[in-house]
């Protein structure tokens, strides 16, 4: 059976449930309980829906929603929590987001999407996370799962 990966909250409640279920079926599992994985998107980057669809299709097939490899928001409570975060965590200056990231628990990974070389350098120097990725998400997934 293919190994499973769970990335979730640092309180571990759901992680224990996932681990117990995997153990019943002798399924290998990796638990990452580090909390948030922030994404910063600069206004100069061209993220189009068509480009996103092409990338999703590369990794998850023609119908991504039926892929066993695609993550899901597991409940309406989590959906409401994520919606609230999206509404609250807006900053006036993109560099302010570095402080927001560093003010909480160290994230598993932080992502930046920008074409600005100076901003990329500041991100690498000033953000503390388990991993830092610029203009990519797949590289981290590949390294994490290998």
């Amino acid at each position: 059976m293919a190994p499973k990966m769970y990335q979730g909250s640092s309180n571990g409640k759901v992680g224990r449930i996932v681990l117990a279920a995997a153990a019943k079926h002798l399924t290998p599992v990796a638990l990452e309980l580090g909390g948030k994985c922030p994404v910063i998107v600069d206004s100069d980057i061209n993220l189009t829906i068509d480009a996103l669809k092409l990338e999703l299709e590369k990794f998850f097939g023609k119908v991504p929603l039926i892929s066993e490899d695609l993550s899901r928001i597991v409940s309406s409570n989590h959906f409401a929590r994520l919606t609230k975060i999206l509404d609250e965590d807006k900053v006036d200056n993109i560099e302010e987001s570095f402080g927001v990231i560093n003010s909480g628990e160290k994230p598993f990974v932080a992502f930046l999407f920008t074409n600005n070389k100076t901003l990329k350098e500041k991100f690498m120097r000033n953000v503390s996370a388990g991993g830092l990725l610029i203009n990519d998400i797949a590289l981290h997934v590949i390294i994490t799962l290998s």
Side-chain angles (χ1 to χ4, degrees), residues 3-24:
K4 303 296 180 195
M5 182 172 174
Y6 170 79
Q7 184 175 357
S9 67
S10 57
N11 74 16
K13 181 180 177 183
V14 175
R16 285 190 291 276
I17 295 168
V18 169
L19 189 58
K24 286 181 186 177

Side-chain angles (χ1 to χ4, degrees), residues 34-105:
K36 295 180 182 180
C37 294
V39 178
I40 303 167
V41 181
D42 193 5
S43 60
D44 77 343
I45 195 85
N46 183 18
L47 294 178
T48 65
I49 298 299
D50 291 336
L52 178 59
K53 286 179 183 177
L54 287 173
E55 288 301 312
L56 287 172
E57 190 172 300
K58 279 185 203 176
F59 291 100
F60 303 115
K62 292 267 186 203
V63 186
L65 293 177
I66 63 171
S67 171
E68 291 182 10
D69 297 322
L70 184 63
S71 299
R72 310 296 197 282
I73 298 174
V74 297
S75 72
S76 58
N77 289 339
H78 285 295
F79 183 81
R81 180 181 59 80
L82 293 170
T83 302
K84 183 178 177 192
I85 289 170
L86 288 172
D87 290 340
E88 288 177 358
D89 286 351
K90 293 193 172 49
V91 293
D92 293 327
N93 178 327
I94 197 162
E95 291 177 36
E96 290 177 29
S97 63
F98 300 167
V100 172
I101 293 169
N102 291 332
S103 68
E105 285 185 44

